[in-house]
Amino acid sequence: GSIVYLGMMVGAFFWGGLADKVGRRQSLLICMSVNGFFAFLSSFVQGYGFFLFCRLFSGFGIGGAMPTVFSYFSEVLAREKRGEHLSWLCMFWMIGGIYASAMAWAIIPHYGWSFSMGSAYQFHSWRVFVIVCALPCVSSVVALTFMPESPRFLLEVGKHDEAWMILKQIHDTNMRARGQPEKVFTVTRIKTPKQIDELIEIESDTGTWYRRCFVRIRTELYGIWLTFMRCFNYPVKDNTIKLTAVWFTLSFGYYGLSVWFPDVIKHLQSDEYASRVKHFRNEEVSHFVFNFTLENQIHSNGEYINDRFIMMKFKSVTFEDSLFKNCVFEDITSLNTYFRNCTFVNTTFYNTDLEQYKFVDSELINCTFFHIRTGCQISFDDDYSAYWIYFVNFLGTLAVLPGNIVSALLMDRIGRLTMLGGSMVLSGISCFFLWFGTSESMMIGMLCLYNGLTISAWNSLDVITVELYPTDRRATGFGFLNALCKAAAVLGNLIFGSLVGITKAIPILLASTVLVCGGLVGLRLPDTRTQVLM
């Protein structure tokens, strides 16, 4: 999970800067192609290191989507409906989340959807899930090939004729939709921005191809850096600093609690499960055949002589200070099962998954092992709690739907700042209800409430960000803030994740404080509702 965030952090900054250099459509095409290629590749690779490498570059590709697509879309919208339509665009982040959650829920538990070619190549259901998650990216690349470049970007770089043709196409399409196809598109005045001359000397005659490539890459990176530094120049310097504070606090609080919620629910489940454990002490069993499931049990100081454990499942079973003599373990599947300080004498293990790490401080005397299965052998039918991960994720994603609809309908009516500040402050206040979350159902309810409130803040922050930056640095500024968002998310995951099961007070107070403070800073931003894009 963290390796993807790292890729997205670098990708957001790089592709956002590139979009201000080569164009929104071109940047989107390349970054989505990179994501799609490495996402597909990660589904088939077998080594963990190579898998992480693929996920890193997949994240690097998808990181460019957010800053570029918001800049791209905002530059073809009318001012009167800009906030509303950008909010509808935000909804597709939620739809993608629902799609991913639903696909995980539907695909990953089906362990039967797998095949192998010897021990060298394994293909399991989670790999099918990775492929399915890459399909929307592929469809996006195909669709983008038929899309025009942003006319505002073309005007910014002095390509007036191309911009005029695209604006005419937009005008004619809208007029036909209104039933007024006879209206003619006319331009009376074009405001031409001041062009920045870039002199790039590439030794085409004497230099080698790789040197020319190196000079080109270095020049582009330097141009991206210069554009980024201009985000801290007048008149956008103050806005950049305020946006930095709001993006960081919202991301830290949101992603921190997002990882904390499922872990707390899992911790509550574990406590409730542990409270129902059954203890068996000083058992003496001989010449008995065990052929049933043992679950949530602790067996202490037992003696098992000439017993057979056949076609069994052990779920959360612990044997302590016990003796197994002349026993047979055959066709055994286990989950969270350990033998602590036990002694095994003349015991045979055949076709089991009882690996060495499950024998803690135990002594094995004259024991034999045949066909030991390694890796995870349990299925989702055996471990139903695994379904809970996908179910909670699905509910949390679905809970933002009302907030998305409300923010879209009210964005241009009550204003971006009111929605941003109000949503963040209300989210911070809602954190205090977590004090009363003592059961799974209550925590899930709090998760849905929290997600529903914060989504309006995310939507309004996206809209404000694209409207506060001028065209020549819009994608760069958005990319920088999005990269900061991912850094804050990783930091939030680390801090909040380390506090699970220790205390509720610190996560609640920390999340509440940063969200309220971020909301108050957001209220200090200029109102962009009636502003024409610079």
Side-chain angles (χ1 to χ4, degrees):
S2 295
I3 201 76
V4 175
Y5 274 122
L6 178 63
M8 291 175 73
M9 181 172 65
V10 178
F13 183 79
F14 175 78
W15 297 112
L18 195 68
D20 284 331
K21 299 286 291 179
V22 302
R24 283 65 165 120
R25 175 180 171 274
Q26 189 74 9
S27 180
L28 263 179
L29 269 172
I30 300 172
C31 76
M32 296 300 282
S33 299
V34 169
N35 172 56
F37 174 77
F38 283 101
F40 266 106
L41 189 60
S42 67
S43 176
F44 296 97
V45 299
Q46 297 295 300
Y48 184 61
F50 195 25
F51 175 75
L52 287 183
F53 174 82
C54 290
R55 297 313 299 173
L56 174 68
F57 275 87
S58 175
F60 176 71
I62 201 63
M66 282 287 287
T68 310
V69 78
F70 274 96
S71 301
Y72 186 26
F73 192 46
S74 68
E75 291 170 357
V76 292
L77 293 175
R79 179 182 60 203
E80 297 79 13
K81 289 285 187 178
R82 191 169 59 220
E84 178 184 337
H85 287 296
L86 283 171
S87 297
W88 293 127
L89 176 64
C90 294
M91 184 179 289
F92 282 87
W93 180 270
M94 175 210 68
I95 293 173
I98 292 175
Y99 173 79
S101 300
M103 291 301 100
W105 196 7
I107 294 173
I108 295 179
H110 292 280
Y111 279 167
W113 298 6
S114 61
F115 66 88
S116 60
M117 291 183 285
S119 59
Y121 191 83
Q122 306 282 335
F123 194 92
H124 297 289
S125 56
W126 68 265
R127 297 180 181 273
V128 178
F129 167 68
V130 173
I131 292 177
V132 169
C133 283
L135 294 179
C137 177
V138 175
S139 62
S140 298
V141 172
V142 174
L144 279 166
T145 58
F146 300 98
M147 296 288 288
E149 181 55 86
S150 162
R152 186 170 289 275
F153 170 79
L154 292 173
L155 287 173
E156 192 69 28
V157 296
K159 298 181 179 180
H160 305 134
D161 292 341
E162 293 180 43
W164 187 87
M165 291 297 294
I166 294 170
L167 288 170
K168 182 178 183 304
Q169 180 186 352
I170 294 173
H171 172 273
D172 293 346
T173 302
N174 288 337
M175 289 303 107
R176 283 196 300 270
R178 292 182 183 181
Q180 299 172 317
E182 70 281 356
K183 280 202 171 184
V184 179
F185 177 67
T186 56
V187 175
T188 56
R189 182 172 63 93
I190 291 179
K191 183 180 179 182
T192 307
K194 183 180 179 181
Q195 298 295 311
I196 300 175
D197 294 327
E198 292 185 358
L199 180 61
I200 304 173
E201 183 179 351
I202 299 180
E203 303 166 24
S204 56
D205 296 328
T206 59
T208 57
W209 67 269
Y210 57 83
R211 177 166 176 77
R212 291 195 297 273
C213 183
F214 171 75
V215 172
R216 172 62 67 182
I217 294 173
R218 186 183 63 183
T219 304
E220 292 295 340
L221 291 176
Y222 183 65
I224 292 172
W225 178 255
L226 288 179
T227 306
F228 166 65
M229 294 307 295
R230 282 166 46 223
C231 292
F232 293 90
N233 292 345
Y234 180 83
V236 295
K237 178 182 178 180
D238 288 345
N239 294 338
T240 298
I241 294 172
K242 292 173 185 176
L243 284 171
T244 298
V246 178
W247 273 89
F248 186 88
T249 52
L250 181 57
S251 181
F252 181 82
Y254 176 78
Y255 286 106
L257 278 187
S258 294
V259 75
W260 187 73
F261 269 114
D263 284 345
V264 168
I265 292 171
K266 190 175 179 181
H267 186 71
L268 290 171
Q269 283 182 319
S270 300
D271 287 347
E272 194 270 337
Y273 188 74
S275 68
R276 294 186 283 109
V277 67
K278 296 178 181 178
H279 290 268
F280 298 88
R281 295 180 177 86
N282 302 314
E283 289 181 310
E284 294 184 6
V285 184
S286 62
H287 298 90
F288 186 80
V289 178
F290 293 85
N291 58 0
F292 45 85
T293 297
L294 296 181
E295 182 177 2
N296 200 16
Q297 298 178 4
I298 297 177
H299 298 259
S300 304
N301 299 306
E303 290 189 4
Y304 305 90
I305 313 298
N306 293 310
D307 293 325
R308 295 173 63 85
F309 299 83
I310 309 295
M311 298 185 68
M312 289 187 63
K313 291 178 180 177
F314 292 98
K315 301 180 188 177
S316 301
V317 178
T318 301
F319 290 91
E320 299 175 339
D321 304 310
S322 299
L323 170 66
F324 295 84
K325 187 174 182 180
N326 300 324
C327 294
V328 174
F329 289 81
E330 184 176 348
D331 297 323
I332 303 297
T333 302
S334 62
L335 175 69
N336 295 329
T337 295
Y338 300 95
F339 299 88
R340 303 183 187 278
N341 199 29
C342 295
T343 302
F344 294 83
V345 181
N346 297 326
T347 297
T348 302
F349 299 87
Y350 180 83
N351 194 30
T352 72
D353 63 355
L354 300 177
E355 299 179 61
Q356 289 298 320
Y357 74 89
K358 296 186 178 183
F359 300 93
V360 181
D361 297 326
S362 295
E363 185 178 6
L364 289 87
I365 303 172
N366 198 25
C367 296
T368 53
F369 291 82
F370 300 98
H371 302 291
I372 299 301
R373 303 193 304 271
T374 59
C376 179
Q377 306 298 328
I378 212 76
S379 71
F380 279 75
D381 294 329
D382 301 313
D383 184 20
Y384 182 76
S385 64
Y387 276 108
W388 199 253
I389 301 169
Y390 306 109
F391 178 65
V392 170
N393 199 289
F394 181 77
L395 281 181
T397 308
L398 195 62
V400 305
L401 179 60
N404 261 309
I405 295 174
V406 169
S407 64
L409 295 178
L410 298 181
M411 187 69 72
D412 289 314
R413 296 183 182 181
I414 68 173
R416 291 86 159 112
L417 299 184
T418 304
M419 186 167 291
L420 173 64
S423 178
M424 290 186 71
V425 171
L426 287 175
S427 299
I429 295 172
S430 72
C431 292
F432 286 102
F433 289 104
L434 296 174
W435 287 110
F436 309 104
T438 55
S439 66
E440 298 168 27
S441 56
M442 290 181 69
M443 291 302 293
I444 292 173
M446 299 301 166
L447 171 66
C448 293
L449 174 65
Y450 178 73
N451 284 355
L453 288 171
T454 51
I455 193 62
S456 297
W458 279 116
N459 291 358
S460 53
L461 186 57
D462 290 334
V463 174
I464 290 172
T465 302
V466 296
E467 290 178 338
L468 281 178
Y469 283 106
T471 301
D472 63 341
R473 67 200 94 162
R474 179 172 295 119
T476 303
F478 202 116
F480 159 67
L481 294 168
N482 210 250
L484 184 73
C485 164
K486 299 304 178 287
V490 173
L491 185 63
N493 287 348
L494 292 174
I495 293 176
F496 283 79
S498 65
L499 297 171
V500 173
I502 299 175
T503 176
K504 275 187 179 180
I506 296 177
I508 291 173
L509 291 174
L510 190 58
S512 180
T513 302
V514 297
L515 287 170
V516 171
C517 290
L520 295 176
V521 173
L523 290 173
R524 304 289 296 175
L525 288 164
D527 189 6
T528 57
R529 195 180 350 175
T530 59
Q531 181 175 302
V532 177
L533 287 184
M534 292 182 282

